[in-house]
């Protein structure tokens, strides 16, 4: 059977399980907001260009509360260059941040590195979101890494939807329904994610009944270098394949 070579967007994942941060490429802020298990209710904007944000005089940071977040979700953050934020529970607690804690947040946004724990008792934050080019190079701290796997599952699902519907040209043609990818299946790649792995939709192969997406290791260029270019992400070798059976609507993994 003739195989069709597909060109889609590769997802790169590098996970640090010690401090629970994940560097990704191919996952956007919109993907995050559409899929995270417990979406942030309020965000303290450390770097941004969002015009509708409110100003907090105590920290000199802007912020968006639950009423503004729908607009922030639709904002063109990929055009903001730097886009960094941390969620918080209550603005009254933001007003209790010390000068040292404000300085730590500034350092975090400026360097992408934490001085102490990035999870603040006063903020009760679940995330720290840091990017200089949203979707190309994102670094997110997760209090609970299960949240990340839901985000990743959504990003994979979205790419699969694009693959299965890209040839639909008439409105009456039926869209294929893609099943959600089980989180437990994604966790099987945790060892690869700790090394830095590509879920390579650029090299995905589609047959009549299934799509095979290779999982690659040994990134050929440093992620910081990729941040300065628009080159495709390339990897050294394939260690596994993520399989979607379009007939059975089932996901599976095979090694090699």
């Amino acid at each position: 059977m003739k195989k069709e070579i597909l060109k889609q967007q590769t997802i790169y994942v590098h996970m640090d399980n010690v401090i629970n941060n994940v560097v990704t490429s191919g996952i956007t802020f919109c993907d995050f907001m559409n899929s995270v298990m417990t979406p942030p209710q309020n965000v303290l904007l450390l770097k941004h260009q969002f015009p509708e944000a409110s100003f907090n005089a105590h920290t000199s940071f802007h912020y968006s509360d639950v009423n503004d977040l729908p607009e922030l979700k639709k904002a063109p953050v990929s055009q903001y260059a730097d886009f960094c934020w941390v969620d918080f529970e209550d603005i009254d607690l933001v007003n209790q941040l010390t000068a040292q804690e404000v300085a730590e947040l500034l350092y975090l946004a400026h360097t992408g590195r934490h001085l102490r724990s990035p999870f603040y008792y006063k903020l009760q934050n679940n995330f720290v979101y840091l990017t200089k080019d949203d979707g190309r190079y994102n670094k997110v701290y997760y209090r609970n890494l299960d949240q990340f796997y839901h985000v990743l599952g959504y990003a994979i699902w979205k790419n699969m939807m694009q693959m299965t519907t890209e040839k639909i040209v008439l409105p009456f043609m039926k869209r294929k329904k893609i099943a959600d990818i089980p989180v437990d299946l994604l966790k099987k790649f945790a060892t690869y994610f700790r090394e830095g792995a590509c879920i390579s939709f650029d090299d995905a192969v589609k047959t009549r009944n299934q799509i095979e997406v290779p999982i690659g290791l040994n990134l050929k260029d440093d992620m910081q270098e990729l941040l300065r270019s628009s080159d495709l992400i390339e990897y050294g070798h394939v260690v596994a394949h993520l399989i979607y059976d379009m007939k059975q609507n089932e996901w599976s993994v095979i090694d090699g």
Side-chain angles (χ1 to χ4, degrees), residues 43-251:
V43 297
L44 196 61
L45 295 161
L46 310 180
K47 288 189 175 184
H48 74 104
Q49 297 178 34
F50 182 53
E52 305 302 321
S54 303
F55 182 72
N56 177 255
H58 176 70
T59 61
S60 290
F61 290 132
H62 290 88
Y63 69 94
S64 292
D65 61 20
V66 66
N67 297 316
D68 300 323
L69 280 181
E71 291 302 314
L72 179 60
K73 183 178 173 181
K74 293 185 292 185
V77 298
S78 62
Q79 301 173 23
Y80 286 1
D82 294 325
F83 180 57
C84 306
W85 56 264
V86 54
D87 61 306
F88 65 92
E89 193 170 90
D90 192 281
I91 193 64
D92 289 336
L93 296 176
V94 171
N95 291 329
Q96 295 178 27
L97 289 173
T98 65
Q100 175 66 29
E101 289 167 332
V102 171
E104 288 177 15
L105 289 169
L106 285 168
Y107 181 85
L108 189 56
H110 181 65
T111 67
R113 299 187 298 273
H114 57 279
L115 286 172
R116 295 191 293 177
S117 171
F119 302 107
Y120 292 85
Y121 175 76
K122 291 175 185 174
L123 298 178
Q124 290 294 297
N125 62 304
N126 292 310
F127 314 103
V128 178
Y129 192 100
L130 310 168
T131 182
K132 295 181 180 297
D133 185 357
D134 190 60
R136 180 63 173 175
Y137 180 92
N138 294 13
K139 183 176 184 179
V140 182
Y141 291 82
Y142 293 85
R143 187 182 292 273
N144 179 355
L145 275 176
D146 280 354
Q147 301 256 19
F148 164 71
Y149 285 106
H150 282 265
V151 174
L152 177 61
Y154 174 82
I156 292 172
W157 174 86
K158 187 177 75 171
N159 274 281
M160 285 293 191
M161 283 295 295
Q162 291 173 353
M163 288 185 181
T164 57
T165 61
E166 61 182 0
K167 289 192 173 182
I168 292 179
V169 293
L170 298 174
F172 57 83
M173 294 179 70
K174 187 177 180 180
R175 292 172 62 91
K176 293 182 180 294
K177 182 179 179 181
I178 301 296
D180 292 338
I181 185 167
V183 167
D184 288 343
L185 187 147
L186 290 176
K187 288 182 177 180
K188 293 181 179 180
F189 297 134
T191 300
Y192 300 141
F193 292 157
R194 287 194 287 270
E195 296 182 48
C198 290
I199 304 171
S200 185
F201 290 96
D202 296 309
D203 297 321
V205 176
K206 180 181 177 183
T207 64
R208 182 174 181 179
N209 293 323
Q210 71 178 27
I211 298 174
E212 299 181 7
V213 185
I215 310 299
L217 295 185
N218 297 339
L219 199 66
K220 291 188 176 181
D221 291 300
D222 183 84
M223 279 301 295
Q224 291 292 338
E225 181 62 33
L226 287 170
L227 181 60
R228 295 186 285 269
S229 72
S230 58
D231 295 340
L232 291 175
I233 296 174
E234 297 184 21
Y235 50 89
H237 65 279
V238 174
V239 292
H241 285 83
L242 180 63
I243 310 295
Y244 185 67
D245 187 313
M246 292 181 287
K247 190 173 183 180
Q248 301 296 325
N249 286 334
E250 291 180 351
W251 295 88

Side-chain angles (χ1 to χ4, degrees), residues 20-60:
N20 284 18
N21 72 54
V22 187
V23 172
T24 62
S25 184
I27 300 177
T28 66
F29 172 68
C30 190
D31 294 334
F32 174 91
M33 293 296 289
N34 279 333
S35 57
V36 71
M37 289 188 297
T38 53
Q41 298 301 301
N42 310 286
V43 297
L44 196 61
L45 295 161
L46 310 180
K47 288 189 175 184
H48 74 104
Q49 297 178 34
F50 182 53
E52 305 302 321
S54 303
F55 182 72
N56 177 255
H58 176 70
T59 61
S60 290

